[in-house]
Amino acid sequence: MKTTAIAPSNIAFVKYWGKFDPDLRLPLNDSLSMNTDQAFTTTTVEFSKKYTADSVEIIFDGNLVPMAQKESQRVIAHIERIRQKTGCREFARIVTKNSFPMGVGVASSASGFAALTVAACGATGSVFSERELTVLARIGSGSACRSIPDGFVVWKSAATSEQSYAYSVFPQDHWNLVDTIVFVDTEEKKVSSSDGMEYVRSSPFWKARVEGVPSTIKKVMEALQKKDIDELGSLIESDAFSMHAVMMTQSPPVLYWSGATIRVFRAIWDARTQGIRAYCTVDAGANVHVICEEASSQQVVKICNTIEGVIKTVVCRPAPGAHIVDAHLF
Ligand code: PMV
């Protein structure tokens, strides 16, 4: 059977950095994110007797090419997990396409493993609840579980795999927030988030950050409920800096920012003194996400496009979660 799914990337407002169970990807803390409509992955999976091995291909600049070995092994391990869960015995062909470059701190593994999970589970013919899909996606790549439910999503930290799932807290049309992704670097990052977070406990600050997260999530939920951009923005900017402070103080240290990353922060802070209500956040990469309301979006894009080192800006709005579509990639 052949199934195609589209999954959005997501930008974390309260970040996940560190696992207490690396195999099951059980996180040290809860996290909260917004799905982004312009950064997404489309994946088609077909299980069939006609295949004699699993294959993973990616559509890159319009061409179909085999996926690099390290990534394709991770994809096949996930397919194997789904085969074991469903009893499916056939090999799979997997073809995938991103709307943005991979490995640049725009969560390609999040949208990638969310689309893969929904397409592969669908292609086995078995029926899964949304919660079960989030648990499966999480084992493929932690933040992928947040790309399955709609809109604004919380992922719970819990002691067992079944309890560490993601769920929607507000739908995508709750608030006209805009995430302007400011690309300053489109190269593959040198330290993957999985590798980087392995050493989280070597930072003297990780515990303080993890202890503070429940209160941050509570305040972010209130700011989302009230649609208070200044409150939300201050909280998410501060949470991003607290995560990067942990990264930078790990041993060995991880520093994802470039000079242009810092220039974007400064330009947005300057803009705030002029009354533009916009705030920065950064995942594991150099690219900045500027969060604002629709009313400030054009000014934000204009400012960002004049900063030295900015390659391009992509304007995203809140999106639904992963879903099955009719148009297959092969
Ligand atoms: O699940 P991963 O390996 O993509 O980790 C993502 C970690 C951050 O993007 C840095 C933070 C987050 O919560 O998305």
Side-chain angles (χ1 to χ4, degrees):
M1 199 169 155
K2 192 190 279 188
T3 303
T4 300
I6 292 189
S9 180
N10 66 71
I11 177 65
F13 288 173
V14 183
K15 315 279 188 191
Y16 141 65
W17 190 253
K19 297 167 265 217
F20 67 83
D21 184 328
D23 295 332
L24 288 172
R25 292 182 202 274
L26 292 172
L28 289 171
N29 60 268
D30 292 3
S31 53
L32 188 153
S33 60
M34 179 184 101
N35 290 334
T36 50
D37 68 346
Q38 297 302 308
F40 57 89
T41 301
T42 309
T43 300
T44 300
V45 177
E46 182 178 41
F47 287 104
S48 168
K49 287 193 176 50
K50 68 186 175 201
Y51 300 128
T52 53
D54 293 319
S55 67
V56 192
E57 293 148 288
I58 178 155
I59 299 175
F60 202 70
D61 287 339
N63 301 311
L64 193 59
V65 291
M67 188 177 269
Q69 207 191 1
K70 197 175 165 209
E71 281 86 31
S72 80
Q73 277 171 351
R74 215 171 136 189
V75 169
I76 290 170
H78 199 56
I79 289 289
E80 186 49 34
R81 222 168 263 139
I82 290 167
R83 265 196 294 256
Q84 288 196 355
K85 204 165 168 65
T86 58
C88 169
R89 287 166 184 273
E90 291 162 355
F91 286 113
R93 179 177 182 201
I94 301 127
V95 175
T96 190
K97 191 171 105 180
N98 284 324
S99 70
F100 53 90
M102 280 170 78
V104 292
V106 176
S108 57
S109 66
S111 56
F113 277 90
L116 179 70
T117 303
V118 172
C121 287
T124 64
S126 302
V127 179
F128 289 87
S129 66
E130 180 184 274
R131 177 170 161 173
E132 287 172 317
L133 289 169
T134 71
V135 167
L136 263 170
R138 186 206 75 227
I139 303 172
S141 178
S143 58
C145 67
R146 296 191 311 238
S147 287
I148 290 187
D150 287 340
F152 299 84
V153 176
V154 164
W155 166 23
K156 272 160 40 96
S157 162
T160 65
S161 188
E162 292 67 34
Q163 295 298 322
S164 183
Y165 59 92
Y167 57 96
S168 178
V169 285
F170 294 101
Q172 59 274 15
D173 57 4
H174 169 69
W175 187 7
N176 58 358
L177 279 182
V178 178
D179 169 16
T180 302
I181 310 177
V182 186
F183 285 89
V184 296
D185 186 359
T186 52
E187 294 294 306
E188 187 89 15
K189 60 192 172 204
K190 298 206 170 44
V191 183
S192 71
S193 43
S194 293
D195 290 346
M197 66 176 83
E198 245 178 70
Y199 302 100
V200 63
R201 286 183 180 78
S202 60
S203 163
F205 306 130
W206 76 271
K207 231 183 184 161
R209 175 175 149 70
V210 166
E211 281 168 7
V213 164
S215 137
T216 310
I217 298 235
K218 191 167 169 279
K219 289 183 200 152
V220 166
M221 289 284 287
E222 282 162 12
L224 283 170
Q225 179 69 56
K226 287 188 295 193
K227 302 185 189 166
D228 181 339
I229 185 65
D230 297 319
E231 176 68 6
L232 179 83
S234 313
L235 287 163
I236 66 182
E237 211 172 76
S238 155
D239 183 71
F241 285 122
S242 110
M243 177 184 73
H244 283 271
V246 170
M247 292 166 162
M248 288 177 208
T249 49
Q250 288 179 197
S251 178
V254 192
L255 176 57
Y256 286 111
W257 301 346
S258 69
T261 309
I262 295 170
R263 282 196 288 279
V264 177
F265 297 156
R266 292 200 184 285
I268 294 301
W269 295 341
D270 280 350
R272 280 218 294 272
T273 65
Q274 311 297 313
I276 297 172
R277 299 157 81 191
Y279 296 83
C280 301
T281 183
V282 192
D283 279 341
N287 302 319
V288 184
H289 294 247
V290 181
I291 310 295
C292 66
E293 288 181 297
E294 193 70 56
S296 317
S297 167
Q298 278 187 358
Q299 282 166 300
V300 164
V301 171
K302 209 166 149 203
I303 292 165
C304 292
N305 281 329
T306 60
I307 301 167
E308 186 197 333
V310 169
I311 301 164
K312 66 170 177 173
T313 47
V314 174
V315 175
C316 299
R317 296 188 168 77
H323 52 280
I324 289 175
V325 293
D326 291 334
H328 300 305
L329 294 177
F330 64 92

